[in-house]
Amino acid sequence: MNEAEKLKKATYHLWTFTASKMIAMLGAHVMAFGFSLYILAMTGSAMSFATNMICSVLPRALVAPLAGYVADNYSKKRTILLAQAGTIVTVGGLLLYTETVGMSVYAIYIATVFNTICSAFSGVTFSSAIATLVNPERLQRAMSFNQMSMSVAAIGGPVIGGMMYGFFNIDVFLMVNMVAYAIAFCLEATMDFNLYSTRGKDVKKEKVWEGLKGGFYYIKQRTVIKTIMWVALWINLFFSAISVGGTFIIIELLKVESTHFGFIQASGAAGMLGASVYFASRSEVKVPLRFSKISLLLLSGSVALAVIPLVTDFSYLAIVIFYLIIYFIFAIFEMGINMPIGVYMQKIISEEYRGRVLGLLETMAMSMMPIGMVIYGILYDTIPATIILPVTSIIIISISLVMLRPTILREAHPEYYDKEAITESIPNSTT
């Protein structure tokens, strides 16, 4: 295949990848929304709702390293298609169970666990394959489109799910999800996951344990990758202050109506969508870690600002507008952190290790979420939010300044800093 044909195929991948991701994610969000409402309707228990959330997070965190090993050692296309087929079979099994026995909460739990496992394998494998689907010049655009599809699904899923819940039973939710994943399966079956692969075809497969150890060793030997993973771990821990505290402050302390809180959350998804469009249309960030560090510092400062309505006399409308803006800003800065680092990681990680590194990164990040939620859940019950958020902001700023210090940035981008140093050392010859 000549270069022109490869570029044409890469363009096809760019749009097919985006469409398949959007359709599958939209179906998943619609079904997840339906599951949440049906569980609450059947049990009326917040614990049952929380259990289903755990079933949708914990299995993914546990199997992500294994998914990374599979992505690195077996056919990416086959892995993704098998994972998508597994989701279709799982949802089909739940539909059959519902028709013959009737819906039960435990059946939803089991289906959620299997769906989450399948999602881990397809998600990690897709993430590790982006750099082989498109040419390097369009890598940032591909990742932006990926995020764009997730943002559209996050906005549209609850809207569609809410309308469907009022008119249809759970069978329709299940069938919609099956159709969505079937369409995604057909689109992904046409893609060439080795289009820009640099890996030889005769690479020897590693045993599972050796492969996992190899991934750890690869990370250990690379200071920049190791630093990024530690930053991701701590940031996911401390930003639980917003995921837990945001809802607590807005709903419980400021008494904002749930309908208006829904608009506030939607503004976050809109911010991600806007940032995705921005990154898709601009050239690649030249110094990714520095860009991400600046975004992280700005996001950290915004966290402290979230307490302003608690210490000032805002009207109800002003409170809603304030948090609409804050959540929108949060999402933009979050994308400013994730997008440049995501593109940078795709480029610096060797293809044969990319799945394992991204799988381990996902495990580290996701494992901190439930821990952070528990810690901040306790803190918000005992300490005023006006203290928690500013202190958390200071902690995150400190982590940013220490872990992403100039020596790390210089090691990550020597071509930029060396050139900068050379430029500064050349005397001005103009008279």
Side-chain angles (χ1 to χ4, degrees):
M1 186 182 296
N2 60 40
E3 193 59 31
E5 290 173 333
K6 287 179 73 173
L7 286 173
K8 185 177 179 181
K9 187 69 173 177
T11 302
Y12 171 79
H13 284 165
L14 192 63
W15 296 106
T16 306
F17 167 74
T18 304
S20 68
K21 200 75 165 166
M22 187 180 298
I23 292 167
M25 291 297 295
L26 191 60
H29 276 283
V30 169
M31 189 176 71
F33 188 84
F35 277 175
S36 300
L37 295 179
Y38 278 105
I39 286 173
L40 289 174
M42 285 189 290
T43 66
S45 167
M47 187 61 201
S48 298
F49 178 76
T51 301
N52 194 57
M53 288 186 66
I54 292 170
C55 290
S56 66
V57 173
L58 186 59
R60 183 167 186 134
L62 292 174
V63 305
L66 179 61
Y69 162 81
V70 172
D72 286 337
N73 287 276
Y74 296 91
S75 166
K76 288 180 172 60
K77 184 173 184 176
R78 189 180 301 126
T79 301
I80 289 170
L81 293 180
L82 284 173
Q84 302 286 45
T87 301
I88 296 170
V89 170
T90 299
V91 177
L94 182 59
L95 178 61
L96 182 62
Y97 179 88
T98 303
E99 292 293 328
T100 55
V101 179
M103 180 53 66
S104 75
V105 175
Y106 293 106
I108 292 177
Y109 292 161
I110 293 169
T112 300
V113 169
F114 280 104
N115 272 355
T116 302
I117 292 172
C118 291
S119 175
F121 277 90
S122 63
V124 171
T125 306
F126 242 132
S127 295
S128 69
I130 293 176
T132 63
L133 286 169
V134 299
N135 51 311
E137 293 76 17
R138 285 191 284 187
L139 184 56
Q140 179 171 289
R141 180 174 294 181
M143 297 193 69
S144 299
F145 280 11
N146 176 40
Q147 186 61 55
M148 199 184 306
S149 64
M150 293 170 66
S151 300
V152 170
I155 296 170
V159 174
I160 297 172
M163 291 189 295
M164 289 178 61
Y165 182 76
F167 296 100
F168 304 105
N169 58 27
I170 198 167
D171 294 359
V172 177
F173 282 90
L174 298 176
M175 285 186 282
V176 166
N177 187 266
M178 288 178 66
V179 170
Y181 272 95
I183 294 172
F185 180 95
C186 293
L187 290 172
E188 289 154 10
T190 65
M191 297 165 70
D192 179 3
F193 286 83
N194 295 311
L195 184 65
Y196 283 91
S197 176
T198 57
R199 195 177 182 185
K201 295 183 179 180
D202 56 347
V203 177
K204 184 180 178 182
K205 291 184 177 65
E206 299 174 290
K207 293 182 179 179
V208 176
W209 184 242
E210 290 177 355
L212 293 175
K213 284 199 301 183
F216 277 109
Y217 184 76
Y218 181 86
I219 294 168
K220 186 179 178 181
Q221 299 301 309
R222 285 153 181 83
T223 304
V224 175
I225 295 176
K226 186 166 58 175
T227 299
I228 290 172
M229 295 187 76
W230 277 108
V231 169
L233 185 145
W234 291 119
I235 296 308
N236 274 275
L237 174 65
F238 288 110
F239 270 110
S240 297
I242 289 297
S243 59
V244 174
T247 304
F248 177 76
I249 291 169
I250 295 170
I251 298 291
E252 292 298 323
L253 300 183
L254 297 173
K255 306 300 181 184
V256 172
E257 295 178 13
S258 57
T259 304
H260 297 148
F261 180 60
F263 284 114
I264 291 170
Q265 288 187 310
S267 71
M272 283 194 176
L273 181 59
S276 299
V277 173
Y278 168 75
F279 280 109
S281 58
R282 64 155 289 165
S283 58
E284 188 175 312
V285 175
K286 295 190 181 299
V287 193
L289 254 63
R290 190 179 69 168
F291 191 100
S292 295
K293 178 182 178 179
I294 293 170
S295 298
L296 182 54
L297 291 172
L298 291 171
L299 180 57
S300 304
S302 302
V303 169
L305 296 178
V307 301
I308 289 177
L310 293 174
V311 296
T312 54
D313 187 19
F314 274 25
S315 67
Y316 182 86
L317 178 61
I319 289 171
V320 173
I321 293 173
F322 177 83
Y323 283 110
L324 280 169
I325 296 170
I326 280 289
Y327 271 62
F328 187 83
I329 291 172
F330 281 166
I332 289 175
F333 289 152
E334 185 180 341
M335 282 291 292
I337 299 166
N338 294 337
M339 185 59 63
I341 283 183
V343 175
Y344 178 71
M345 293 280 276
Q346 288 281 339
K347 289 191 169 184
I348 66 168
I349 301 171
S350 299
E351 186 181 339
E352 59 268 29
Y353 289 98
R354 197 175 291 143
R356 278 167 286 179
V357 173
L358 295 178
L360 288 168
L361 175 61
E362 184 165 314
T363 293
M364 289 177 68
M366 294 189 73
S367 63
M368 285 296 102
M369 291 170 61
I371 295 173
M373 287 178 181
V374 171
I375 292 173
Y376 277 100
I378 295 170
L379 288 176
Y380 277 107
D381 284 337
T382 55
I383 301 174
T386 50
I387 295 175
I388 294 173
L389 288 182
V391 170
T392 299
S393 176
I394 292 170
I395 292 172
I396 299 171
I397 289 172
S398 301
I399 290 171
S400 308
L401 295 175
V402 172
M403 301 199 75
L404 295 175
R405 55 193 178 276
T407 53
I408 294 294
L409 299 185
R410 188 177 294 277
E411 183 176 343
H413 309 294
E415 72 290 344
Y416 173 81
Y417 285 97
D418 290 348
K419 184 174 70 174
E420 196 176 64
I422 291 169
T423 303
E424 290 173 357
S425 67
I426 298 174
N428 191 348
S429 61
T430 58
T431 58

